[in-house]
Amino acid sequence: MSENRFTDSMPMGQEEYTDLLKDILSARYQRAQPLAFVHTYGCQQNVADSEKLKGMLLQMGCALTESKEDADIIIFNTCAVREHAEDRVFGNVGALKALKRQKPSLLIALCGCMMEQEHIAEKIYKSFPYVGLVFGTHVIHRFPELVFHAVTSGKRLIERGEDDGRIHEGIPIHRDGSFKGWLPVMYGCDNFCTYCIVPHVRGRERSRRPEVILREAEEMVQAGYREITLLGQNVNSYGKGLEDAVTFPQLLRQTAQIPGDFWLSFMTSHPKDASRELIDVMAENPKISSHLHLPFQSGSDRILRLMNRRYTVEKYLEIVDYAKKRIPDLALTSDVIVGFPGETEEDFRQTLELIRQVEFTSLFTFIYSPRVGTPAVKMEDPFTHEDKARRMGELLKLQEQISARRTASMVGRQYRVLVEEQAREGILNARTHGGVVVEVSGNVDLIGTFGTAEVTEARNFILRGSLLPDP
Ligand code: SAH
Ligand code: SF4
Ligand code: F3S
């Protein structure tokens, strides 16, 4: 399945801690391979970080488990993007108390974006005395050292560190999937959208060197990965600050030139930096999936300005039109926020209008959630949660109609698909470039392979089809 590799050597000193931990942990937990449970909240950036934590845990001699009850080490990698995400973490950490009582040697660690907010890290530390280790996103490369101190000192440890603006290569990775994999190309974000906590918890934007990315992509293709997704909060601004000036479209083109049968995807694109060159590279390289995730957030220029998004609806539609012209069967997905402070009924109507005009393949929809430390929390907001929930209902209904039309229009046509999982006995879920699922009959051996699906039927948003043999 997934493996454990180095792209460079591990960050200074961490190898020594890792070696020491092999004996320390197995003695502490009385097993040759202590069991670690890692749960991830939030976006793919966090998923990619958890894959590093898992890589490091395996190097310490641990095995991974899906069961909290069996685990010797429990790690929650948290997300701070909306209140709901934070509430889930608080609830789930609360539920660990009983496990810690049963097994006092259990190490509970919390990390990720929530921990980079001082008030949250402190609240957790105070409210949950059985949490032994709290660490932020900036010190994840020192995980072995932190575990070492947490288990040998007998004290609780809280480590948040400053954003040193550096990238620490060489951390082992244990990927969750065996044929779909994430590949971070950059970290952090410099955009400071006024509602968003990410730049505050992830630090300044920095890009990985292209040769490291290409080497990792090559390794993934050789290991059998069929879909590689290049990751960053705003991949279109990739390359700033690198010694050799490389743009994202150039990186994308170079990655697509790696020999082998794979799909290359990327996310997220910020509309202010999405260029025609990017669309041209997508159009010209068959390995690059014809899926563009291009969050618009709002269809009102007034709200976009208040959000500090730095594009207008006109500019957004211009790049969308160009992409639709250049890329046949383009799958366009997006994020939208309903109820940004002061969003009027008229602003909201403009959001609906944009959705109607663009006809997205699918939408990720969010009700605005105030985040401490961001400028938007101080903006006046006369609208109630009920107003916002009603608007959200209306928006979802509109998108449902669009999606239904779109899926119906796929009937009778053929699509290249990646077979992903078993839906039920004899039925597999295959996914198109744009993430549309088609149910096909077939054997589990086909999971992780490409095929062509002929769509025969659309019912309740589920597409059925048959898998055609490759010519
Ligand atoms: N970097 C990506 C998105 C990161 S967060 C981008 O710029 O597109 C993912 C999505 O969460 C955002 O696109 C936005 O729609 C939503 N989001 C972020 N902060 C939010 C908040 N405070 N309230 C509601 N939704 C939010
Ligand atoms: Fe947040 Fe904006 Fe950065 Fe995306 S681009 S992570 S929404 S600040
Ligand atoms: Fe959440 Fe952090 Fe991602 S706040 S959305 S996990 S970058």
Side-chain angles (χ1 to χ4, degrees):
M1 292 288 278
S2 34
E3 71 268 36
N4 216 349
R5 293 153 305 110
F6 291 93
T7 48
D8 252 324
S9 59
M10 259 180 109
M12 281 286 287
Q14 298 307 313
E15 243 162 87
E16 284 77 4
Y17 286 113
T18 303
D19 277 344
L20 290 170
L21 279 166
K22 279 181 197 152
D23 291 335
I24 294 171
L25 292 177
S26 66
R28 180 179 165 107
Y29 296 112
Q30 310 267 299
R31 324 190 199 234
Q33 287 194 300
L35 296 174
F37 170 92
V38 181
H39 186 77
T40 312
Y41 301 82
C43 69
Q44 282 75 15
Q45 204 71 247
N46 252 18
V47 172
D49 276 356
S50 287
E51 292 182 340
K52 288 184 184 149
L53 293 172
K54 290 175 192 173
M56 290 187 270
L57 284 162
L58 295 186
Q59 297 270 310
M60 294 170 199
C62 294
L64 300 173
T65 173
E66 296 292 313
S67 148
K68 283 199 275 286
E69 287 69 27
D70 293 345
D72 301 309
I73 300 176
I74 294 181
I75 301 175
F76 284 171
N77 191 6
T78 65
C79 168
V81 80
R82 281 171 293 276
E83 198 178 355
H84 177 67
E86 293 193 339
D87 288 347
R88 276 172 53 216
V89 171
F90 281 115
N92 291 344
V93 176
L96 296 179
K97 191 174 180 180
L99 288 181
K100 177 73 180 178
R101 202 179 300 127
Q102 282 159 22
K103 188 194 285 187
S105 63
L106 174 68
L107 174 63
I108 300 175
L110 297 183
C111 61
C113 296
M114 272 173 82
M115 305 307 133
E116 283 300 336
Q117 297 170 281
E118 202 167 336
H119 67 287
I120 299 275
E122 269 161 26
K123 180 171 166 191
I124 288 198
Y125 198 72
K126 285 203 192 101
S127 326
F128 304 114
Y130 46 89
V131 170
L133 172 61
V134 171
F135 62 101
T137 57
H138 303 316
V139 291
I140 184 174
H141 59 283
R142 288 173 45 218
F143 178 59
E145 179 186 343
L146 300 176
V147 173
F148 176 85
H149 289 303
V151 295
T152 56
S153 70
K155 292 196 197 114
R156 302 171 69 203
L157 190 64
I158 181 161
E159 185 80 7
R160 292 182 40 252
E162 290 293 302
D163 171 20
D164 63 5
R166 289 178 53 203
I167 291 184
H168 300 274
E169 296 290 359
I171 302 177
I173 302 167
H174 176 80
R175 294 190 200 279
D176 292 337
S178 56
F179 59 89
K180 281 175 70 145
W182 310 111
L183 206 180
V185 300
M186 61 203 295
Y187 302 99
C189 179
D190 283 352
N191 289 309
F192 291 96
C193 303
T194 54
Y195 50 81
C196 184
I197 198 69
V198 172
H200 306 267
V201 295
R202 283 276 168 182
R204 298 293 53 78
E205 180 184 296
R206 50 212 176 265
S207 297
R208 295 178 77 190
R209 283 177 288 133
E211 61 274 21
V212 184
I213 297 168
L214 288 168
R215 187 155 33 119
E216 198 166 323
E218 271 163 17
E219 286 172 355
M220 289 173 77
V221 173
Q222 275 160 19
Y225 283 87
R226 292 284 171 255
E227 181 169 18
I228 298 177
T229 304
L230 306 183
L231 277 188
Q233 294 298 348
N234 174 14
V235 289
N236 305 113
S237 66
Y238 173 81
K240 267 193 271 160
L242 286 175
E243 255 169 54
D244 308 314
V246 189
T247 65
F248 185 67
Q250 286 165 346
L251 178 74
L252 197 58
R253 187 185 287 123
Q254 285 172 22
T255 316
Q257 279 161 0
I258 295 172
D261 196 10
F262 65 97
W263 273 351
L264 184 60
S265 308
F266 58 93
M267 66 188 297
T268 296
S269 286
H270 193 303
K272 80 177 164 62
D273 301 310
S275 61
R276 288 192 170 214
E277 189 193 354
L278 172 77
I279 307 297
D280 293 339
V281 171
M282 290 174 75
E284 287 154 16
N285 289 275
K287 279 185 199 167
I288 302 177
S289 87
S290 41
H291 171 208
L292 187 60
H293 181 62
L294 196 64
F296 69 92
Q297 315 294 4
S298 168
S300 152
D301 283 341
R302 192 182 77 82
I303 296 294
L304 287 174
R305 241 185 342 265
L306 289 173
M307 287 177 162
N308 188 32
R309 288 291 286 179
R310 286 176 280 171
Y311 53 84
T312 58
V313 171
E314 189 186 350
K315 159 101 198 304
Y316 185 85
L317 292 175
E318 203 179 283
I319 194 78
V320 163
D321 283 344
Y322 185 70
K324 281 184 173 172
K325 270 193 209 104
R326 290 285 276 130
I327 306 168
D329 277 327
L330 174 74
L332 196 64
T333 58
S334 196
D335 295 349
V336 51
I337 296 177
V338 170
F340 183 83
E343 180 194 72
T344 62
E345 203 58 31
E346 172 53 26
D347 293 316
F348 174 64
R349 297 283 139 211
Q350 293 176 7
T351 291
L352 293 182
E353 186 47 39
L354 189 147
I355 294 172
R356 221 172 267 126
Q357 206 172 332
V358 174
E359 301 204 314
F360 293 98
T361 308
S362 57
L363 276 181
F364 297 89
T365 56
F366 308 105
I367 289 187
Y368 168 74
S369 169
R371 305 285 69 208
V372 174
T374 62
V377 266
K378 299 202 194 81
M379 296 181 189
E380 266 194 56
D381 195 3
F383 296 95
T384 62
H385 185 76
E386 284 65 41
D387 294 328
K388 298 180 184 194
R390 179 193 44 79
R391 286 181 194 171
M392 177 60 100
E394 201 175 329
L395 188 156
L396 290 175
K397 212 158 123 205
L398 170 64
Q399 181 57 34
E400 236 170 59
Q401 289 162 0
I402 294 170
S403 297
R405 267 207 306 278
R406 184 170 271 282
T407 40
S409 76
M410 291 174 75
V411 175
R413 301 187 54 199
Q414 295 183 356
Y415 294 88
R416 183 105 170 117
V417 288
L418 180 60
V419 181
E420 288 197 347
E421 66 208 343
Q422 187 172 36
R424 52 191 179 276
E425 193 61 38
I427 303 290
L428 305 169
N429 282 339
R431 208 176 275 269
T432 68
H433 269 180
V436 179
V437 176
V438 185
E439 286 188 356
V440 294
S441 306
N443 190 287
V444 285
D445 298 349
L446 293 169
I447 292 175
T449 65
F450 286 115
T452 301
E454 181 166 88
V455 180
T456 50
E457 189 188 350
R459 198 190 295 163
N460 298 335
F461 303 108
I462 294 177
L463 291 175
R464 305 245 162 83
S466 46
L467 207 53
L468 308 176
D470 262 344

